[in-house]
Amino acid sequence: RKEMLLKRFRDSYSIDGSDINSLVEEKKLSPSFLGEYYSPSFISSFDACPAKQLLLNLDKKDFIEPLVIGTCVHYLLEQRFLNGGVSDKDLEYVDKKLRNNSSLKEKTLAYYNAYFKIKDDYKDYQSFTEREIVNNPTPLGVNIPKIKGIVDRIDISDTKKRVVDYKTSSRPVTSDKYIDQLTIYKWIVEEELGTDIDDVCAASLYTEDPKFLYPEITLRSQSQLIEKILNVDEEVLKSRVNNSYKVKKSYQCRFCKYFDKCNAGKDIEI
């Protein structure tokens, strides 16, 4: 593990004289950098490389195709379960979000239609669509920092309760990829509803083989995730105090868009 002082990133992004507090106030950085709350994606990204997570936040773009497509697919599925179908007005909204790009709309509708090819063992359930949940769960009796998550859907039948998260992907994936996020969703939904959740699943919308992916959540996997969250919380606060964000060396560095900037640092060897 190597460290690169935040000043180098400031020099690259012309934010000299700014500190983390002011960057959050200016909405250039997520409140997670102050430790106010953590989302599943922040926990995963910051744990992988604090410096990269900082740069990604500072380097925000208005239009990132995969993210916009994902947003539109989520919207259409939400309308389907909320209103029983998708209206012309909904499609107009999607067109606007996609900047009237017919190719992106085709991909969006392919993902949307893929959902309805999935065989679902749940029967006669009532669905509650997207909701933001912020609370302090206590998994395995352990106090962890405040968590913020946007849960796509909660299904409740007479016998079971399930959390569903939609996932658009251009390639096959396994349930392990989403185990941390879905475990966190299980924790915060149980805290919110005051009852146990039987299942959490990712609705993989890979168009060639759409399916529900149910990760195996065990005591060990939960303990490891709790440790990761506590470590992230400690590292966030330490980074804020020291104004220094670690660059974590890994095999993924070669694929990172900031590789050249890190490699340019004299004390960074990747």
Side-chain angles (χ1 to χ4, degrees):
R1 294 182 179 180
K2 301 285 186 176
E3 288 194 3
M4 179 180 289
L5 294 178
L6 182 59
K7 183 178 182 304
R8 292 190 180 169
F9 295 135
R10 288 177 173 168
D11 290 343
S12 299
Y13 286 83
S14 301
I15 55 172
D16 293 301
S18 298
D19 59 20
I20 299 302
N21 293 59
S22 62
L23 289 171
V24 171
E25 290 174 3
E26 295 166 15
K27 297 185 177 179
K28 292 181 179 179
L29 286 179
S30 160
S32 296
F33 282 92
L34 297 181
E36 292 184 10
Y37 58 75
Y38 302 118
S39 67
S41 59
F42 182 91
I43 291 166
S44 175
S45 299
F46 196 92
D47 178 67
C49 183
K52 181 180 179 181
Q53 178 66 4
L54 177 73
L55 289 174
L56 282 171
N57 267 246
L58 293 173
D59 194 23
K60 290 177 181 175
K61 295 182 179 179
D62 293 331
F63 193 87
I64 302 175
E65 284 188 9
L67 295 182
V68 177
I69 288 175
T71 297
C72 290
V73 172
H74 280 67
Y75 173 78
L76 292 176
L77 286 169
E78 180 180 6
Q79 297 309 306
R80 165 63 177 77
F81 282 93
L82 188 64
N83 301 318
V86 173
S87 68
D88 290 339
K89 187 175 181 180
D90 294 328
L91 293 176
E92 289 175 6
Y93 170 82
V94 167
D95 277 331
K96 185 176 180 181
K97 292 287 288 185
L98 297 173
R99 299 180 177 178
N100 296 308
N101 186 310
S102 59
S103 175
L104 297 184
K105 183 177 182 181
E106 183 179 350
K107 291 180 182 178
T108 298
L109 293 179
Y111 284 128
Y112 170 76
N113 290 322
Y115 178 87
F116 301 100
K117 298 177 183 177
I118 300 175
K119 181 181 178 181
D120 191 357
D121 293 331
Y122 264 58
K123 305 296 181 183
D124 300 323
Y125 57 78
Q126 183 178 2
S127 294
F128 299 87
T129 55
E130 184 175 298
R131 62 189 298 178
E132 180 179 281
I133 298 177
V134 184
N135 61 38
N136 290 89
T138 54
L140 306 184
V142 179
N143 292 316
I144 63 173
K146 184 176 290 184
I147 301 294
K148 177 181 178 180
I150 299 178
V151 178
D152 291 339
R153 204 174 83 223
I154 302 172
D155 297 334
I156 299 179
S157 71
D158 290 338
T159 58
K160 287 188 176 183
K161 303 176 186 68
R162 174 178 68 177
V163 171
V164 179
D165 195 63
Y166 307 129
K167 297 296 183 185
T168 54
S169 176
S170 59
R171 64 191 67 181
V173 293
T174 64
S175 60
D176 290 345
K177 179 178 175 66
Y178 307 118
I179 186 170
D180 282 359
Q181 180 185 10
L182 292 175
T183 299
I184 289 173
Y185 283 173
K186 175 179 169 64
W187 292 344
I188 63 175
V189 171
E190 287 180 338
E191 180 71 20
E192 183 81 359
L193 301 182
T195 185
D196 291 339
I197 295 297
D198 299 288
D199 295 307
V200 288
C201 73
S204 171
L205 304 180
Y206 171 56
T207 55
E208 298 298 319
D209 185 25
K211 64 180 68 173
F212 285 135
L213 300 174
Y214 290 89
E216 184 180 358
I217 299 175
T218 64
L219 288 176
R220 181 179 180 183
S221 69
Q222 291 185 83
S223 297
Q224 291 173 337
L225 178 54
I226 290 169
E227 183 178 2
K228 178 189 291 188
I229 293 172
L230 295 177
N231 288 339
V232 164
D233 184 49
E234 181 180 354
E235 186 67 33
V236 164
L237 299 180
K238 187 188 300 182
S239 299
R240 178 188 173 193
V241 170
N242 297 333
N243 258 2
S244 177
Y245 287 77
K246 288 182 179 179
V247 174
K248 290 188 178 179
K249 181 180 177 181
S250 77
Y251 74 94
Q252 294 181 341
C253 291
R254 71 189 72 178
F255 308 111
C256 179
K257 63 186 291 186
Y258 306 112
F259 175 81
D260 291 339
K261 286 183 172 57
C262 290
N263 201 39
K266 293 181 180 179
D267 60 344
I268 302 297
E269 297 176 4
I270 298 178

Short mmCIF file of all heavy atoms in Angstrom, two decimals, residues 19-64:
data_model
loop_
_atom_site.label_atom_id
_atom_site.label_comp_id
_atom_site.label_asym_id
_atom_site.label_seq_id
_atom_site.Cartn_x
_atom_site.Cartn_y
_atom_site.Cartn_z
N ASP A 19 -10.97 22.17 1.34
CA ASP A 19 -10.87 21.02 2.23
C ASP A 19 -12.10 20.15 2.04
O ASP A 19 -13.02 20.50 1.30
CB ASP A 19 -10.71 21.45 3.69
CG ASP A 19 -11.87 22.31 4.19
OD1 ASP A 19 -12.95 22.25 3.56
OD2 ASP A 19 -11.69 23.02 5.17
N ILE A 20 -12.12 19.00 2.69
CA ILE A 20 -13.20 18.05 2.48
C ILE A 20 -14.55 18.64 2.87
O ILE A 20 -15.55 18.46 2.17
CB ILE A 20 -12.93 16.75 3.27
CG1 ILE A 20 -11.63 16.11 2.79
CG2 ILE A 20 -14.08 15.78 3.12
CD1 ILE A 20 -11.60 15.78 1.32
N ASN A 21 -14.59 19.39 3.99
CA ASN A 21 -15.85 19.98 4.43
C ASN A 21 -16.46 20.89 3.37
O ASN A 21 -17.64 20.80 3.05
CB ASN A 21 -15.64 20.78 5.73
CG ASN A 21 -15.27 19.90 6.89
OD1 ASN A 21 -14.26 19.20 6.85
ND2 ASN A 21 -16.07 19.92 7.95
N SER A 22 -15.63 21.78 2.81
CA SER A 22 -16.16 22.73 1.82
C SER A 22 -16.56 22.03 0.53
O SER A 22 -17.53 22.42 -0.12
CB SER A 22 -15.12 23.82 1.52
OG SER A 22 -13.94 23.26 0.96
N LEU A 23 -15.82 20.98 0.16
CA LEU A 23 -16.16 20.24 -1.05
C LEU A 23 -17.51 19.54 -0.90
O LEU A 23 -18.28 19.45 -1.85
CB LEU A 23 -15.08 19.22 -1.39
CG LEU A 23 -13.75 19.80 -1.89
CD1 LEU A 23 -12.69 18.71 -1.98
CD2 LEU A 23 -13.94 20.46 -3.25
N VAL A 24 -17.79 19.04 0.31
CA VAL A 24 -19.09 18.43 0.56
C VAL A 24 -20.18 19.49 0.52
O VAL A 24 -21.25 19.29 -0.06
CB VAL A 24 -19.10 17.70 1.92
CG1 VAL A 24 -20.51 17.25 2.28
CG2 VAL A 24 -18.17 16.50 1.88
N GLU A 25 -19.92 20.65 1.13
CA GLU A 25 -20.90 21.74 1.14
C GLU A 25 -21.20 22.21 -0.28
O GLU A 25 -22.34 22.57 -0.59
CB GLU A 25 -20.38 22.90 1.98
CG GLU A 25 -20.34 22.61 3.48
CD GLU A 25 -19.70 23.73 4.27
OE1 GLU A 25 -19.34 24.76 3.65
OE2 GLU A 25 -19.56 23.59 5.50
N GLU A 26 -20.21 22.19 -1.14
CA GLU A 26 -20.40 22.60 -2.54
C GLU A 26 -20.97 21.47 -3.39
O GLU A 26 -21.14 21.61 -4.60
CB GLU A 26 -19.05 23.04 -3.14
CG GLU A 26 -18.48 24.28 -2.50
CD GLU A 26 -17.01 24.50 -2.88
OE1 GLU A 26 -16.56 23.84 -3.84
OE2 GLU A 26 -16.34 25.30 -2.22
N LYS A 27 -21.26 20.34 -2.75
CA LYS A 27 -21.83 19.15 -3.40
C LYS A 27 -20.91 18.56 -4.46
O LYS A 27 -21.36 17.92 -5.40
CB LYS A 27 -23.20 19.49 -3.99
CG LYS A 27 -24.22 19.89 -2.94
CD LYS A 27 -25.60 20.09 -3.52
CE LYS A 27 -26.61 20.43 -2.42
NZ LYS A 27 -27.96 20.66 -2.93
N LYS A 28 -19.61 18.80 -4.28
CA LYS A 28 -18.63 18.15 -5.15
C LYS A 28 -18.24 16.78 -4.62
O LYS A 28 -17.71 15.95 -5.34
CB LYS A 28 -17.38 19.04 -5.29
CG LYS A 28 -17.63 20.33 -6.05
CD LYS A 28 -16.37 21.15 -6.18
CE LYS A 28 -16.63 22.43 -6.96
NZ LYS A 28 -15.39 23.27 -7.09
N LEU A 29 -18.50 16.58 -3.33
CA LEU A 29 -18.23 15.29 -2.71
C LEU A 29 -19.46 14.83 -1.93
O LEU A 29 -20.22 15.64 -1.40
CB LEU A 29 -17.04 15.37 -1.76
CG LEU A 29 -15.64 15.48 -2.37
CD1 LEU A 29 -14.60 15.59 -1.27
CD2 LEU A 29 -15.33 14.30 -3.27
N SER A 30 -19.62 13.53 -1.85
CA SER A 30 -20.72 12.94 -1.08
C SER A 30 -20.50 13.18 0.42
O SER A 30 -19.36 13.20 0.89
CB SER A 30 -20.77 11.44 -1.37
OG SER A 30 -21.45 10.76 -0.35
N PRO A 31 -21.59 13.34 1.19
CA PRO A 31 -21.46 13.44 2.66
C PRO A 31 -20.79 12.22 3.27
O PRO A 31 -20.36 12.27 4.42
CB PRO A 31 -22.91 13.56 3.12
CG PRO A 31 -23.64 14.14 1.96
CD PRO A 31 -22.98 13.55 0.75
N SER A 32 -20.69 11.14 2.51
CA SER A 32 -19.99 9.95 3.02
C SER A 32 -18.54 10.25 3.34
O SER A 32 -17.93 9.60 4.19
CB SER A 32 -20.07 8.82 1.99
OG SER A 32 -21.41 8.40 1.80
N PHE A 33 -17.96 11.24 2.67
CA PHE A 33 -16.56 11.60 2.95
C PHE A 33 -16.41 12.28 4.31
O PHE A 33 -15.29 12.45 4.79
CB PHE A 33 -16.00 12.50 1.83
CG PHE A 33 -15.63 11.75 0.59
CD1 PHE A 33 -16.53 11.59 -0.44
CD2 PHE A 33 -14.37 11.18 0.46
CE1 PHE A 33 -16.20 10.88 -1.58
CE2 PHE A 33 -14.03 10.47 -0.68
CZ PHE A 33 -14.95 10.32 -1.71
N LEU A 34 -17.54 12.68 4.90
CA LEU A 34 -17.52 13.21 6.27
C LEU A 34 -17.97 12.16 7.27
O LEU A 34 -18.05 12.43 8.46
CB LEU A 34 -18.43 14.44 6.37
CG LEU A 34 -18.05 15.66 5.53
CD1 LEU A 34 -19.05 16.79 5.77
CD2 LEU A 34 -16.64 16.12 5.82
N GLY A 35 -18.30 10.98 6.78
CA GLY A 35 -18.74 9.91 7.66
C GLY A 35 -20.17 10.06 8.13
O GLY A 35 -20.57 9.45 9.13
N GLU A 36 -20.98 10.87 7.42
CA GLU A 36 -22.37 11.07 7.85
C GLU A 36 -23.20 9.81 7.65
O GLU A 36 -24.06 9.48 8.47
CB GLU A 36 -22.98 12.25 7.08
CG GLU A 36 -22.37 13.59 7.44
CD GLU A 36 -23.05 14.75 6.74
OE1 GLU A 36 -24.13 14.54 6.12
OE2 GLU A 36 -22.53 15.87 6.80
N TYR A 37 -23.00 9.15 6.54
CA TYR A 37 -23.65 7.87 6.26
C TYR A 37 -22.89 7.22 5.11
O TYR A 37 -22.11 7.87 4.41
CB TYR A 37 -25.13 8.04 5.88
CG TYR A 37 -25.36 8.94 4.68
CD1 TYR A 37 -25.10 8.49 3.37
CD2 TYR A 37 -25.84 10.23 4.83
CE1 TYR A 37 -25.29 9.31 2.28
CE2 TYR A 37 -26.04 11.06 3.74
CZ TYR A 37 -25.77 10.59 2.47
OH TYR A 37 -25.96 11.40 1.39
N TYR A 38 -23.11 5.93 4.91
CA TYR A 38 -22.43 5.20 3.84
C TYR A 38 -23.44 4.41 3.02
O TYR A 38 -24.35 3.78 3.58
CB TYR A 38 -21.38 4.25 4.41
CG TYR A 38 -20.34 4.93 5.26
CD1 TYR A 38 -20.20 4.61 6.61
CD2 TYR A 38 -19.51 5.92 4.72
CE1 TYR A 38 -19.25 5.24 7.39
CE2 TYR A 38 -18.56 6.56 5.50
CZ TYR A 38 -18.44 6.22 6.84
OH TYR A 38 -17.50 6.85 7.61
N SER A 39 -23.27 4.44 1.71
CA SER A 39 -24.07 3.61 0.83
C SER A 39 -23.29 2.33 0.53
O SER A 39 -22.06 2.30 0.69
CB SER A 39 -24.36 4.34 -0.48
OG SER A 39 -23.15 4.52 -1.22
N PRO A 40 -23.96 1.28 0.09
CA PRO A 40 -23.23 0.06 -0.26
C PRO A 40 -22.16 0.29 -1.32
O PRO A 40 -21.07 -0.28 -1.24
CB PRO A 40 -24.35 -0.86 -0.79
CG PRO A 40 -25.57 -0.41 -0.07
CD PRO A 40 -25.43 1.08 0.04
N SER A 41 -22.46 1.12 -2.32
CA SER A 41 -21.47 1.36 -3.38
C SER A 41 -20.26 2.13 -2.85
O SER A 41 -19.12 1.85 -3.24
CB SER A 41 -22.11 2.13 -4.54
OG SER A 41 -22.62 3.37 -4.10
N PHE A 42 -20.49 3.09 -1.94
CA PHE A 42 -19.37 3.84 -1.36
C PHE A 42 -18.49 2.91 -0.54
O PHE A 42 -17.26 2.97 -0.63
CB PHE A 42 -19.88 4.97 -0.48
CG PHE A 42 -18.78 5.81 0.11
CD1 PHE A 42 -18.31 6.94 -0.55
CD2 PHE A 42 -18.19 5.48 1.34
CE1 PHE A 42 -17.28 7.71 -0.02
CE2 PHE A 42 -17.17 6.24 1.87
CZ PHE A 42 -16.71 7.36 1.19
N ILE A 43 -19.10 2.05 0.25
CA ILE A 43 -18.33 1.11 1.08
C ILE A 43 -17.43 0.25 0.22
O ILE A 43 -16.23 0.09 0.48
CB ILE A 43 -19.28 0.23 1.92
CG1 ILE A 43 -19.99 1.08 2.98
CG2 ILE A 43 -18.52 -0.92 2.59
CD1 ILE A 43 -21.18 0.39 3.62
N SER A 44 -17.99 -0.28 -0.86
CA SER A 44 -17.22 -1.14 -1.75
C SER A 44 -16.10 -0.39 -2.44
O SER A 44 -14.95 -0.85 -2.48
CB SER A 44 -18.16 -1.76 -2.80
OG SER A 44 -17.44 -2.49 -3.75
N SER A 45 -16.40 0.79 -2.98
CA SER A 45 -15.41 1.56 -3.74
C SER A 45 -14.32 2.14 -2.85
O SER A 45 -13.14 2.11 -3.21
CB SER A 45 -16.11 2.70 -4.50
OG SER A 45 -17.05 2.19 -5.40
N PHE A 46 -14.70 2.67 -1.69
CA PHE A 46 -13.71 3.26 -0.80
C PHE A 46 -12.79 2.18 -0.24
O PHE A 46 -11.59 2.39 -0.09
CB PHE A 46 -14.40 4.01 0.34
CG PHE A 46 -13.49 4.95 1.09
CD1 PHE A 46 -13.39 6.28 0.71
CD2 PHE A 46 -12.74 4.51 2.17
CE1 PHE A 46 -12.54 7.16 1.38
CE2 PHE A 46 -11.90 5.37 2.86
CZ PHE A 46 -11.80 6.70 2.46
N ASP A 47 -13.36 1.02 0.06
CA ASP A 47 -12.55 -0.09 0.55
C ASP A 47 -11.53 -0.53 -0.49
O ASP A 47 -10.39 -0.86 -0.16
CB ASP A 47 -13.45 -1.25 0.93
CG ASP A 47 -12.67 -2.48 1.42
OD1 ASP A 47 -12.05 -2.39 2.49
OD2 ASP A 47 -12.68 -3.50 0.71
N ALA A 48 -11.93 -0.51 -1.76
CA ALA A 48 -11.03 -0.93 -2.84
C ALA A 48 -9.89 0.06 -3.03
O ALA A 48 -8.73 -0.33 -3.20
CB ALA A 48 -11.80 -1.10 -4.14
N CYS A 49 -10.20 1.38 -3.01
CA CYS A 49 -9.16 2.40 -3.17
C CYS A 49 -9.73 3.76 -2.80
O CYS A 49 -10.48 4.36 -3.58
CB CYS A 49 -8.64 2.43 -4.61
SG CYS A 49 -7.31 3.63 -4.86
N PRO A 50 -9.39 4.29 -1.62
CA PRO A 50 -9.90 5.60 -1.20
C PRO A 50 -9.59 6.72 -2.19
O PRO A 50 -10.44 7.58 -2.44
CB PRO A 50 -9.18 5.83 0.14
CG PRO A 50 -8.92 4.46 0.66
CD PRO A 50 -8.61 3.64 -0.56
N ALA A 51 -8.38 6.70 -2.75
CA ALA A 51 -7.99 7.76 -3.69
C ALA A 51 -8.87 7.75 -4.93
O ALA A 51 -9.32 8.80 -5.41
CB ALA A 51 -6.53 7.61 -4.07
N LYS A 52 -9.12 6.57 -5.47
CA LYS A 52 -9.96 6.48 -6.67
C LYS A 52 -11.38 6.95 -6.38
O LYS A 52 -11.99 7.64 -7.21
CB LYS A 52 -9.99 5.04 -7.18
CG LYS A 52 -10.82 4.88 -8.44
CD LYS A 52 -10.83 3.45 -8.93
CE LYS A 52 -11.69 3.31 -10.18
NZ LYS A 52 -11.73 1.90 -10.67
N GLN A 53 -11.91 6.60 -5.22
CA GLN A 53 -13.26 7.02 -4.87
C GLN A 53 -13.33 8.54 -4.77
O GLN A 53 -14.32 9.16 -5.20
CB GLN A 53 -13.69 6.39 -3.54
CG GLN A 53 -15.07 6.80 -3.06
CD GLN A 53 -16.19 6.31 -3.97
OE1 GLN A 53 -15.95 5.59 -4.93
NE2 GLN A 53 -17.41 6.71 -3.68
N LEU A 54 -12.28 9.15 -4.22
CA LEU A 54 -12.22 10.62 -4.16
C LEU A 54 -12.23 11.21 -5.56
O LEU A 54 -12.99 12.13 -5.87
CB LEU A 54 -10.97 11.05 -3.41
CG LEU A 54 -10.73 12.57 -3.32
CD1 LEU A 54 -11.71 13.19 -2.33
CD2 LEU A 54 -9.31 12.88 -2.93
N LEU A 55 -11.39 10.69 -6.45
CA LEU A 55 -11.27 11.23 -7.80
C LEU A 55 -12.55 11.04 -8.60
O LEU A 55 -12.97 11.92 -9.35
CB LEU A 55 -10.10 10.56 -8.52
CG LEU A 55 -8.71 10.96 -8.01
CD1 LEU A 55 -7.64 10.14 -8.69
CD2 LEU A 55 -8.46 12.43 -8.23
N LEU A 56 -13.20 9.89 -8.43
CA LEU A 56 -14.45 9.65 -9.13
C LEU A 56 -15.51 10.67 -8.73
O LEU A 56 -16.28 11.15 -9.57
CB LEU A 56 -14.96 8.24 -8.84
CG LEU A 56 -14.27 7.09 -9.59
CD1 LEU A 56 -14.72 5.75 -9.02
CD2 LEU A 56 -14.54 7.18 -11.08
N ASN A 57 -15.54 11.02 -7.45
CA ASN A 57 -16.51 12.01 -6.98
C ASN A 57 -16.22 13.40 -7.54
O ASN A 57 -17.13 14.15 -7.85
CB ASN A 57 -16.53 12.06 -5.46
CG ASN A 57 -17.58 11.16 -4.85
OD1 ASN A 57 -18.54 11.61 -4.24
ND2 ASN A 57 -17.42 9.86 -5.05
N LEU A 58 -14.93 13.73 -7.65
CA LEU A 58 -14.55 15.04 -8.16
C LEU A 58 -14.68 15.13 -9.67
O LEU A 58 -14.76 16.21 -10.23
CB LEU A 58 -13.11 15.36 -7.75
CG LEU A 58 -12.87 15.56 -6.26
CD1 LEU A 58 -11.38 15.69 -5.98
CD2 LEU A 58 -13.61 16.79 -5.76
N ASP A 59 -14.72 13.98 -10.31
CA ASP A 59 -14.70 13.91 -11.77
C ASP A 59 -16.06 13.50 -12.31
O ASP A 59 -16.16 12.75 -13.28
CB ASP A 59 -13.64 12.90 -12.22
CG ASP A 59 -13.32 13.02 -13.70
OD1 ASP A 59 -13.55 14.10 -14.27
OD2 ASP A 59 -12.85 12.03 -14.28
N LYS A 60 -17.12 13.98 -11.67
CA LYS A 60 -18.47 13.58 -12.06
C LYS A 60 -18.81 14.07 -13.46
O LYS A 60 -18.44 15.17 -13.86
CB LYS A 60 -19.49 14.14 -11.07
CG LYS A 60 -19.44 13.49 -9.70
CD LYS A 60 -20.43 14.14 -8.76
CE LYS A 60 -20.38 13.50 -7.37
NZ LYS A 60 -21.25 14.18 -6.41
N LYS A 61 -19.54 13.24 -14.18
CA LYS A 61 -20.01 13.60 -15.51
C LYS A 61 -21.53 13.57 -15.52
O LYS A 61 -22.16 12.81 -14.79
CB LYS A 61 -19.46 12.64 -16.56
CG LYS A 61 -17.94 12.71 -16.71
CD LYS A 61 -17.45 11.77 -17.79
CE LYS A 61 -15.93 11.87 -17.95
NZ LYS A 61 -15.43 10.93 -18.99
N ASP A 62 -22.12 14.40 -16.39
CA ASP A 62 -23.57 14.51 -16.43
C ASP A 62 -24.21 13.30 -17.10
O ASP A 62 -25.32 12.91 -16.75
CB ASP A 62 -23.98 15.79 -17.17
CG ASP A 62 -23.59 17.04 -16.41
OD1 ASP A 62 -23.54 16.96 -15.17
OD2 ASP A 62 -23.36 18.08 -17.05
N PHE A 63 -23.53 12.72 -18.08
CA PHE A 63 -24.16 11.66 -18.88
C PHE A 63 -23.21 10.48 -19.03
O PHE A 63 -22.25 10.54 -19.80
CB PHE A 63 -24.55 12.21 -20.25
CG PHE A 63 -25.46 11.30 -21.03
CD1 PHE A 63 -26.83 11.39 -20.86
CD2 PHE A 63 -24.95 10.37 -21.91
CE1 PHE A 63 -27.69 10.55 -21.58
CE2 PHE A 63 -25.80 9.53 -22.64
CZ PHE A 63 -27.17 9.63 -22.47
N ILE A 64 -23.46 9.43 -18.26
CA ILE A 64 -22.68 8.20 -18.38
C ILE A 64 -23.66 7.13 -18.84
O ILE A 64 -24.59 6.76 -18.12
CB ILE A 64 -22.04 7.82 -17.03
CG1 ILE A 64 -21.14 8.96 -16.54
CG2 ILE A 64 -21.25 6.53 -17.16
CD1 ILE A 64 -20.54 8.73 -15.17
#
